[in-house]
Amino acid sequence: MTKKKQEILLAGISVDPDSDIAMYRQLYESLRQAILQGRLRPGHRLPATRTLSVELGVSRNTVLLAFDTLLSEGYLKGKTGSGAYVSDDLPEKLLHAARPAAKASSMRRNRRTGSKRGKLMAAYAAPVGESRPFKHGMPALREFPFDVWSKLLTRQMRRLPYTFFGYGEAAGYRPLREAIATYLRTARAVHCEFEQIIVINGSQQALDLTARVLLDPGDKVWIEDPGYLGARKAFVGAGGAIVPVPIDQHGINVEKGKQLESQARLVHVTPSHQFPLGVTMSLSRRLQLLDWAAESNAWILEDDYDSEYRYSGRPLSSLQGLDSNERVIYMGTFSKVLFPAMRLGYLVVPPDLIDMFVSAKSVADRHSALLEQAALADFIELGYFGRHLRRMRLLYQQRQQALLEAVNQQLAGLMEMTLSDGGMHEIGWLPGHLDDKECAVRANDVEITAQPVSEYSLRYGTRPGLVLGYAAYNEAEIKTAVQSLATVLQY
Amino acid sequence: MTKKKQEILLAGISVDPDSDIAMYRQLYESLRQAILQGRLRPGHRLPATRTLSVELGVSRNTVLLAFDTLLSEGYLKGKTGSGAYVSDDLPEKLLHAARPAAKASSMRRNRRTGSKRGKLMAAYAAPVGESRPFKHGMPALREFPFDVWSKLLTRQMRRLPYTFFGYGEAAGYRPLREAIATYLRTARAVHCEFEQIIVINGSQQALDLTARVLLDPGDKVWIEDPGYLGARKAFVGAGGAIVPVPIDQHGINVEKGKQLESQARLVHVTPSHQFPLGVTMSLSRRLQLLDWAAESNAWILEDDYDSEYRYSGRPLSSLQGLDSNERVIYMGTFSKVLFPAMRLGYLVVPPDLIDMFVSAKSVADRHSALLEQAALADFIELGYFGRHLRRMRLLYQQRQQALLEAVNQQLAGLMEMTLSDGGMHEIGWLPGHLDDKECAVRANDVEITAQPVSEYSLRYGTRPGLVLGYAAYNEAEIKTAVQSLATVLQY
């Protein structure tokens, strides 16, 4: 081997003594790339390790280790010390395949795409970002008893046997399912046994699993219009054909839905507190919806996302509890009552769908994280859940009032607000000549988040309005934020 | 109102003083059911609350509360004290709909099914159950430093601001993504930046998301045969058409795959340690697979489920690291290295697929639980991960040896075992005349779990054999279990 050849070889081979990566690993990688890219051809004899160590200024052990690895992986043949050569049973064609992707034609690039379903799932992204007035859907995190939560986690870590930390049941941790069933029966008049409860990772997974279990591609789904975007994502992602149905003061307009598509397979509703409009679905509308579902063999997905917060009127019992035909799948989440980062929620499914839903959960991700399920079961059973809920109900009601007062004082003539019976947000209705999207952009300029209502509409527009979440912000923050809003809405 | 009418009314109305449910709630529910089922007809005047309280032996307040609720929900009209009657604007037809489901015809019952996809997802269920020899896929939970884990959870609860417990980024907690990227680059020669890492809930979600993002219904998928059932579930659940491809001593038989279906869209492989056979895919076979994928615009899902455990030979770098065409999606899990109940794993996706995968994760369940992600980032960065891995590598290797010795001593002539280079299970090959499913049943009789290899085959059978997980069991347990196995295999 001549000096020249070594130089050619060494041109592409380098090691960086300051790198975090071990020297032998760097050398190994350099040589491997040279082989794969054809700079070192099959049969090419490599310099002696001693020579290479001198040339590269590394220890001989480094070189030996790199060579050993390449020998054991089949890139080199022969002996480590000297006489190693590039393996000649790596066919030229295969080596070629491993060259850099420059050759990929633009046609190929164009075909570098996922499935149609993948594209549909990508069509919407979840909003992420800091919490500031009036970002909605956010509970008062400052008020959550994280010290208690931390203690319950630690307590369960100590109490639970190590065998608990293997795989669990797909439907969830049984004590949690029992606690949820008891809560729902008493607080929401849901008719259920614990076997019908499936613990899932928050309401988005409830939507996704329901869409996948109940819809085949092309199946029609009634969605509320305006309505929750997360639901739309899940149904579209599962290939469902969405049918927007308008909302009136009684909730979803069932008659209109029937006219539009009487043979829908599924309907998604938020009867306790319609998102985003805040309407409570009336009893006769509820019965009408159940009647239609029973007659047309459709499923109702009742999304009770923030029903825990009711400040006036009496809490209406769930749609599920009214149904005698087992046509309702009920879903709820702990994101709004406790905190979103926990990622826990539940589905209540009719008995004959249990197996299918449990299997779907198992295929989706086997089961939800167990330690947090165990801590949550404790949190409910030991009474912390009820206590936190009562505190938040009082607090949020005060904040709702504070928002109303601030709006009436600061935004008189510019914004109209009628309080709904509960929830965590209100709509601030704007004069008809304003564009709510434009107003949202102006609000953002003064660091106020205010989603335009029109963003939630597909076909049935409403008056322009802004969705104002209030639960996570104290009265002073609310007041200041409304003042800021006033400065930009007067244009 | 006559005494008789009250009796008729009261026949269906009862309250149970020993129930957990509040008395007024019980009464409310009884009356509501009576109305919905038509036992109390529209216009029917209810007894005075005083009368009812005497008849039922409950306080008048209880009755008042129940009536108030029914009035506010629209079931009753009139006044609470006396003179309340059943609302007459609940149309007969609607009330009828809410009657018990007895009328549901058998035709309707038959239509009470989920989607085709739902049925496909339900076709396989995840195995759950206690951990006992030789249940595979289970790490040594007894050896996990749960005290450290508990401390890290508590530490993060204290350190993290409350705002952290809102919604997080769909792709995962950034410090964890960075820690994973660093680990994969150095330990597995994966070419990646942290942006390519998507934190998911264990490998089942990796399979499910990949199937959904890359496959449209009917798309062909090569799967290893025999191979991992969880993968099959995900692909079938997403509507993929699976093409079983046989395994030889070099791994998946690419030539055979091309003959069977050259236009497959995706291939799922376990190159480091084929599941269940334990083969390591050879370098030339790896290059051949990459070449085919590049030529036919197919995707490779590299499932590196237990690659952390390598006891002999040098660790082969990942298939992903060999690929210059960005055709490989790499997946790994923390279930095997730490513990399954945590439900955390990761995907490494090519740059141009990041958006689509992140959206799919967001639609599926927004993001994984944040506190455990933060604790895991600490666990890796503070060196606990590396330490635990090194300890387990040593321990599992000893257990692998113990299994081999016990099999050679106790099952000579009945079981043959050749150790693979790593992993957490071995195959105990049985004489050709034995039925491995029958042997598994016999093993179960002596409380030994031993999955038959044939259970993992679709088309390409192997010799009969049993999959013996050893990682979770100590040497004494392994020895005893092999003895038990010997008593039932000699038939």
Side-chain angles (χ1 to χ4, degrees):
Chain A
M1 175 152 284
T2 69
K3 181 74 180 153
K4 183 137 188 288
K5 269 198 184 150
Q6 280 174 42
E7 274 166 1
I8 290 166
L9 166 63
L10 295 176
I13 304 298
S14 63
V15 288
D16 172 7
D18 295 329
S19 163
D20 285 346
I21 302 168
M23 299 279 268
Y24 90 90
R25 200 78 208 167
Q26 294 184 50
L27 179 55
Y28 153 82
E29 189 61 31
S30 273
L31 289 167
R32 197 173 70 98
Q33 284 304 330
I35 294 168
L36 288 172
Q37 293 166 12
R39 287 184 283 129
L40 283 176
R41 319 283 292 193
H44 186 113
R45 180 169 295 273
L46 269 80
T49 50
R50 201 179 309 267
T51 316
L52 208 47
S53 82
V54 175
E55 293 282 339
L56 290 170
V58 298
S59 81
R60 191 164 167 237
N61 268 338
T62 297
V63 182
L64 285 171
L65 258 170
F67 272 37
D68 264 3
T69 311
L70 291 163
L71 281 160
S72 71
E73 293 190 356
Y75 290 96
L76 299 184
K77 294 243 159 148
K79 279 182 301 171
T80 303
S82 68
Y85 58 92
V86 176
S87 181
D88 46 16
D89 60 12
L90 305 172
E92 182 74 350
K93 185 161 166 295
L94 295 180
L95 292 172
H96 194 70
R99 280 187 199 164
K103 71 181 166 107
S105 71
S106 65
M107 192 247 349
R108 285 195 180 182
R109 274 286 149 188
N110 287 341
R111 288 188 56 192
R112 284 187 65 83
T113 56
S115 61
K116 288 192 198 77
R117 166 170 39 210
K119 279 176 219 153
L120 290 173
M121 291 176 87
Y124 302 93
V128 180
E130 63 195 311
S131 179
R132 64 180 195 191
F134 294 102
K135 188 174 160 74
H136 64 80
M138 193 62 80
L141 294 174
R142 266 176 296 199
E143 304 298 328
F144 185 76
F146 284 110
D147 52 335
V148 170
W149 187 250
S150 183
K151 268 181 210 137
L152 294 179
L153 285 173
T154 312
R155 176 173 180 256
Q156 289 289 19
M157 289 286 298
R158 264 198 311 266
R159 269 181 54 190
L160 291 163
Y162 70 84
T163 49
F164 176 81
F165 295 91
Y167 291 100
E169 284 187 57
Y173 179 54
R174 181 160 163 176
L176 178 60
R177 295 166 73 200
E178 287 173 345
I180 293 170
T182 304
Y183 166 71
L184 293 178
R185 277 195 300 261
T186 52
R188 304 290 306 128
V190 170
H191 286 298
C192 64
E193 300 302 323
F194 87 89
E195 290 89 344
Q196 292 169 260
I197 310 287
I198 300 167
V199 178
I200 39 83
N201 311 332
S203 50
Q204 193 60 41
Q205 190 172 47
L207 291 161
D208 183 50
L209 288 182
T210 304
R212 293 163 75 192
V213 167
L214 298 180
L215 298 180
D216 276 312
D219 280 349
K220 305 288 192 300
V221 190
W222 287 6
I223 59 166
E224 296 178 324
D225 186 8
Y228 181 55
L229 299 177
R232 209 195 290 176
K233 282 185 225 177
F235 302 138
V236 170
I242 52 174
V243 179
V245 178
I247 305 297
D248 62 23
Q249 72 271 30
H250 301 294
I252 194 166
N253 189 328
V254 178
E255 276 310 315
K256 184 78 187 164
K258 287 196 222 172
Q259 285 164 28
L260 290 166
E261 180 54 64
S262 64
Q263 293 306 306
R265 178 106 180 112
L266 176 68
V267 51
H268 173 256
V269 282
T270 50
S272 296
H273 186 239
Q274 203 273 336
F275 186 87
L277 301 182
V279 182
T280 301
M281 196 187 293
S282 69
L283 180 62
S284 60
R285 194 59 68 77
R286 284 170 193 238
L287 294 171
Q288 206 183 348
L289 185 65
L290 289 169
D291 189 44
W292 165 76
E295 278 189 357
S296 58
N297 291 300
W299 301 104
I300 299 170
L301 178 56
E302 177 177 22
D303 187 345
D304 231 10
Y305 69 106
D306 71 357
S307 62
E308 295 84 359
Y309 302 115
R310 182 100 184 173
Y311 318 127
S312 57
R314 290 197 171 270
L316 275 178
S317 22
S318 64
L319 195 55
Q320 196 266 11
L322 273 177
D323 174 30
S324 317
N325 290 295
E326 300 183 335
R327 280 280 155 198
V328 179
I329 293 98
Y330 178 93
M331 59 178 270
T333 176
F334 290 104
S335 296
K336 311 300 179 209
V337 195
L338 307 181
F339 59 91
M342 181 193 297
R343 311 308 306 128
L344 287 176
Y346 45 84
L347 277 163
V348 186
V349 303
D352 57 345
L353 291 184
I354 294 173
D355 287 351
M356 214 180 288
F357 269 89
V358 170
S359 296
K361 170 66 180 169
S362 160
V363 172
D365 61 4
R366 284 188 88 136
H367 60 80
S368 296
L370 286 180
L371 180 64
E372 305 211 324
Q373 288 191 60
L376 179 53
D378 263 9
F379 195 81
I380 299 173
E381 279 159 23
L382 299 176
Y384 295 108
F385 182 78
R387 206 170 308 156
H388 183 62
L389 199 48
R390 285 190 294 276
R391 273 191 63 222
M392 292 307 102
R393 216 176 263 144
L394 207 63
L395 187 72
Y396 295 176
Q397 186 174 9
Q398 287 163 2
R399 292 178 174 184
Q400 188 197 38
Q401 289 294 338
L403 176 65
L404 180 70
E405 280 165 30
V407 165
N408 286 344
Q409 279 168 24
Q410 309 282 336
L411 288 165
L414 265 174
M415 186 176 276
E416 207 176 283
M417 188 173 283
T418 317
L419 293 192
S420 48
D421 288 339
M424 300 162 72
H425 72 269
E426 291 295 343
I427 308 273
W429 295 109
L430 298 166
H433 67 278
L434 291 185
D435 175 350
D436 56 12
K437 288 196 176 77
E438 165 73 21
C439 292
V441 171
R442 284 166 167 269
N444 189 55
D445 290 343
V446 289
E447 302 196 339
I448 301 289
T449 298
Q451 298 287 330
V453 175
S454 60
E455 200 176 279
Y456 301 95
S457 292
L458 275 177
R459 193 166 304 158
Y460 302 98
T462 61
R463 290 169 54 189
L466 298 173
V467 180
L468 305 178
Y470 55 79
Y473 319 103
N474 66 33
E475 297 182 30
E477 286 169 326
I478 288 171
K479 212 171 159 182
T480 312
V482 171
Q483 276 167 351
S484 304
L485 208 52
T487 63
V488 289
L489 288 187
Q490 284 154 336
Y491 69 99
Chain B
M1 172 152 286
T2 68
K3 181 73 183 156
K4 184 142 188 282
K5 269 197 182 152
Q6 280 174 40
E7 272 165 5
I8 289 166
L9 166 64
L10 295 175
I13 306 297
S14 64
V15 289
D16 172 7
D18 295 331
S19 163
D20 285 346
I21 303 167
M23 301 277 268
Y24 90 90
R25 200 78 208 168
Q26 293 183 52
L27 179 55
Y28 153 82
E29 187 62 32
S30 273
L31 289 167
R32 198 172 69 100
Q33 284 304 329
I35 295 168
L36 288 171
Q37 293 166 12
R39 287 184 284 130
L40 285 175
R41 319 282 292 191
H44 187 113
R45 181 171 294 275
L46 269 81
T49 50
R50 202 180 310 268
T51 316
L52 208 48
S53 81
V54 175
E55 292 283 339
L56 291 170
V58 299
S59 80
R60 190 160 167 239
N61 269 339
T62 298
V63 182
L64 286 169
L65 258 169
F67 272 38
D68 264 2
T69 311
L70 292 162
L71 282 159
S72 71
E73 292 189 0
Y75 290 96
L76 299 184
K77 294 244 158 145
K79 282 186 297 175
T80 303
S82 67
Y85 57 92
V86 177
S87 179
D88 47 15
D89 60 13
L90 303 171
E92 182 75 351
K93 182 161 167 294
L94 294 179
L95 291 172
H96 194 70
R99 280 189 199 161
K103 71 182 166 110
S105 70
S106 64
M107 195 250 342
R108 284 195 179 178
R109 273 288 149 187
N110 287 340
R111 288 188 57 192
R112 284 186 66 82
T113 55
S115 61
K116 288 193 199 75
R117 164 169 42 207
K119 281 177 217 151
L120 290 173
M121 291 176 88
Y124 301 92
V128 179
E130 61 195 313
S131 179
R132 64 180 195 190
F134 293 102
K135 191 174 159 72
H136 64 80
M138 192 62 78
L141 295 174
R142 266 176 297 199
E143 305 297 329
F144 185 76
F146 284 110
D147 53 335
V148 170
W149 187 250
S150 184
K151 268 181 210 137
L152 294 179
L153 286 173
T154 312
R155 175 172 181 257
Q156 290 288 21
M157 289 286 299
R158 265 199 310 269
R159 270 182 52 191
L160 291 164
Y162 71 84
T163 49
F164 176 81
F165 294 91
Y167 290 101
E169 283 186 57
Y173 180 54
R174 179 158 165 176
L176 177 60
R177 294 167 74 199
E178 286 173 344
I180 292 170
T182 305
Y183 166 70
L184 292 178
R185 278 196 299 262
T186 51
R188 305 290 307 129
V190 169
H191 287 297
C192 65
E193 300 303 324
F194 88 88
E195 290 90 345
Q196 292 170 262
I197 310 287
I198 300 167
V199 178
I200 38 84
N201 311 332
S203 48
Q204 191 61 39
Q205 191 172 46
L207 292 161
D208 184 49
L209 289 181
T210 304
R212 292 164 76 190
V213 168
L214 298 180
L215 298 180
D216 276 312
D219 281 350
K220 305 287 191 300
V221 190
W222 289 5
I223 58 165
E224 296 178 325
D225 187 8
Y228 181 55
L229 299 177
R232 212 195 288 176
K233 284 185 226 179
F235 301 139
V236 170
I242 53 174
V243 180
V245 178
I247 306 297
D248 62 23
Q249 73 272 30
H250 301 293
I252 194 166
N253 189 327
V254 178
E255 277 308 317
K256 184 78 188 166
K258 288 198 225 171
Q259 285 164 27
L260 290 166
E261 180 54 65
S262 64
Q263 293 308 304
R265 178 107 180 111
L266 176 67
V267 51
H268 172 257
V269 282
T270 50
S272 296
H273 185 239
Q274 202 273 335
F275 186 85
L277 301 182
V279 181
T280 302
M281 196 188 293
S282 69
L283 180 62
S284 59
R285 193 59 68 78
R286 284 170 193 240
L287 295 172
Q288 207 183 347
L289 185 65
L290 289 168
D291 188 47
W292 165 76
E295 280 190 356
S296 57
N297 290 301
W299 301 104
I300 299 170
L301 177 56
E302 177 176 23
D303 186 346
D304 232 8
Y305 68 106
D306 71 357
S307 62
E308 294 85 358
Y309 301 115
R310 182 100 184 174
Y311 318 126
S312 57
R314 287 193 172 274
L316 276 178
S317 21
S318 64
L319 194 55
Q320 196 267 11
L322 271 176
D323 175 29
S324 317
N325 291 294
E326 299 182 337
R327 281 277 154 202
V328 178
I329 292 99
Y330 179 92
M331 61 177 269
T333 177
F334 291 104
S335 296
K336 310 299 178 209
V337 194
L338 306 181
F339 59 91
M342 179 192 297
R343 310 308 307 131
L344 287 176
Y346 44 85
L347 276 163
V348 186
V349 304
D352 57 347
L353 292 185
I354 294 173
D355 287 350
M356 212 180 289
F357 269 90
V358 171
S359 297
K361 170 66 180 168
S362 160
V363 172
D365 61 4
R366 283 188 91 137
H367 61 77
S368 297
L370 286 180
L371 179 64
E372 305 211 324
Q373 288 191 59
L376 180 53
D378 264 9
F379 194 82
I380 298 173
E381 279 159 22
L382 300 175
Y384 296 107
F385 181 79
R387 206 169 310 155
H388 183 62
L389 199 48
R390 285 191 294 276
R391 272 190 65 221
M392 291 308 103
R393 214 175 264 144
L394 208 62
L395 187 73
Y396 294 177
Q397 186 173 10
Q398 286 162 2
R399 292 177 173 185
Q400 188 197 39
Q401 289 294 336
L403 175 65
L404 180 70
E405 279 165 29
V407 164
N408 285 345
Q409 278 168 25
Q410 309 281 337
L411 287 165
L414 266 174
M415 186 177 273
E416 207 176 284
M417 188 174 280
T418 316
L419 294 192
S420 47
D421 289 340
M424 299 161 73
H425 72 268
E426 291 296 342
I427 308 272
W429 295 109
L430 298 166
H433 67 279
L434 291 186
D435 175 352
D436 57 12
K437 289 196 175 79
E438 165 72 22
C439 292
V441 171
R442 285 166 167 269
N444 189 56
D445 289 342
V446 290
E447 302 196 337
I448 301 289
T449 297
Q451 298 286 329
V453 175
S454 59
E455 199 177 279
Y456 301 96
S457 292
L458 275 177
R459 192 167 302 159
Y460 302 98
T462 60
R463 287 169 59 188
L466 298 172
V467 180
L468 305 177
Y470 54 79
Y473 318 103
N474 67 32
E475 297 182 30
E477 286 169 326
I478 288 171
K479 210 171 161 183
T480 311
V482 171
Q483 275 166 352
S484 303
L485 209 52
T487 64
V488 288
L489 288 186
Q490 283 154 339
Y491 68 99

